[in-house]
Amino acid sequence: VGMKCDNLSLLAELLRAAGLFMRWFGQVIQPSFESSDANDNHFSNNPTTRLKCRGMLLLYCKILEMETPTIESPDIPRFSSICLFRATYGNDDLTVSARKTVVESIDGCVFLVNALTKRDQPIPRLFSVLRNVHHLVSTVPASAALMDKAIDSLNEKTSSNDGEFESKYGLVEVLVDNLTWTVQSLPPFPGDKSDRRSEMA
């Protein structure tokens, strides 16, 4: 990563603030726009426009690939995943456009698949990535095929090295593997109140 601890903390705080702002705007302010005459100008006046532009969406996706230096480091990829979800969750024109950009323009499905299949990552981060996958598949059905294609590419790379994935292994199989791990991992499922495995399932 090559970033100092203070810079990592600052990046984590900025991403967390961006995600919370998009959530607040979408849940509190957005409804008032939708019921007012100002709705015609909503797209251009939306203060979340910059947070949902192509460059920011690509940044959220790129940060998903980031490796945190230590266990104690802030989970920046998780905060970035939350930002990606908040930027694509909703039915207003700006958010629909952002969702379309993620799926069709910046290979967002590839980034999500890479994050979903990464080993040894914190449960809250995996939960956030799964939520993004679930949301895109339910709102943009074509994204499922793109994720399957991305997984096929990963399978080809792996099979060329060790001969794995000779049978069909796509998005459904990855999700089933995650579900299996969720209910069979330790401590015994579903864990305490802070354990998010039940939400993942």
Side-chain angles (χ1 to χ4, degrees):
V1 174
M3 295 181 69
K4 294 181 179 180
C5 183
D6 289 346
N7 291 335
L8 289 173
S9 297
L10 177 60
L11 177 57
E13 290 171 6
L14 289 171
L15 287 169
R16 186 169 183 271
L20 288 173
F21 180 75
M22 286 188 282
R23 178 183 182 183
W24 169 79
F25 187 86
Q27 294 181 351
V28 178
I29 304 301
Q30 190 90 20
S32 64
F33 271 97
E34 294 173 351
S35 60
S36 70
D37 295 335
N39 192 43
D40 291 338
N41 297 320
H42 174 56
F43 189 94
S44 59
N45 295 333
N46 191 326
T48 66
T49 299
R50 182 163 294 183
L51 296 175
K52 299 184 180 185
C53 71
R54 186 181 187 278
M56 290 301 295
L57 295 170
L58 182 58
L59 178 63
Y60 303 146
C61 289
K62 287 283 189 181
I63 293 177
L64 290 177
E65 299 180 330
M66 180 179 178
E67 297 289 345
T68 51
T70 66
I71 297 177
E72 291 77 22
S73 300
D75 194 354
I76 294 174
R78 173 175 172 256
F79 293 136
S80 190
S81 176
I82 292 172
C83 283
L84 183 62
F85 178 77
R86 292 300 171 195
T88 59
Y89 184 79
N91 295 316
D92 59 285
D93 290 345
L94 176 62
T95 305
V96 171
S97 177
R99 194 158 57 232
K100 183 177 179 181
T101 298
V102 170
V103 174
E104 299 179 4
S105 178
I106 62 172
D107 292 330
C109 292
V110 175
F111 286 103
L112 284 172
V113 162
N114 289 338
L116 182 63
T117 55
K118 185 182 293 184
R119 303 296 182 184
D120 300 324
Q121 58 182 322
I123 292 175
R125 185 196 306 171
L126 181 58
F127 168 72
S128 180
V129 172
L130 274 170
R131 185 170 61 167
N132 271 298
V133 171
H134 178 271
H135 172 58
L136 285 184
V137 169
S138 63
T139 55
V140 188
S143 63
L146 294 174
M147 292 183 195
D148 268 331
K149 185 177 180 180
I151 292 171
D152 283 340
S153 296
L154 286 176
N155 293 346
E156 289 175 3
K157 293 178 183 178
T158 305
S159 61
S160 63
N161 294 327
D162 54 24
E164 290 184 0
F165 304 123
E166 293 179 359
S167 59
K168 165 67 177 174
Y169 194 85
L171 178 60
V172 171
E173 287 74 20
V174 169
L175 294 176
V176 169
D177 281 351
N178 274 282
L179 176 60
T180 302
W181 175 86
T182 296
V183 298
Q184 292 183 350
S185 57
L186 296 175
F189 183 83
D192 57 27
K193 292 182 178 180
S194 63
D195 195 327
R196 307 204 71 172
R197 288 177 299 164
S198 59
E199 295 177 73
M200 286 171 56

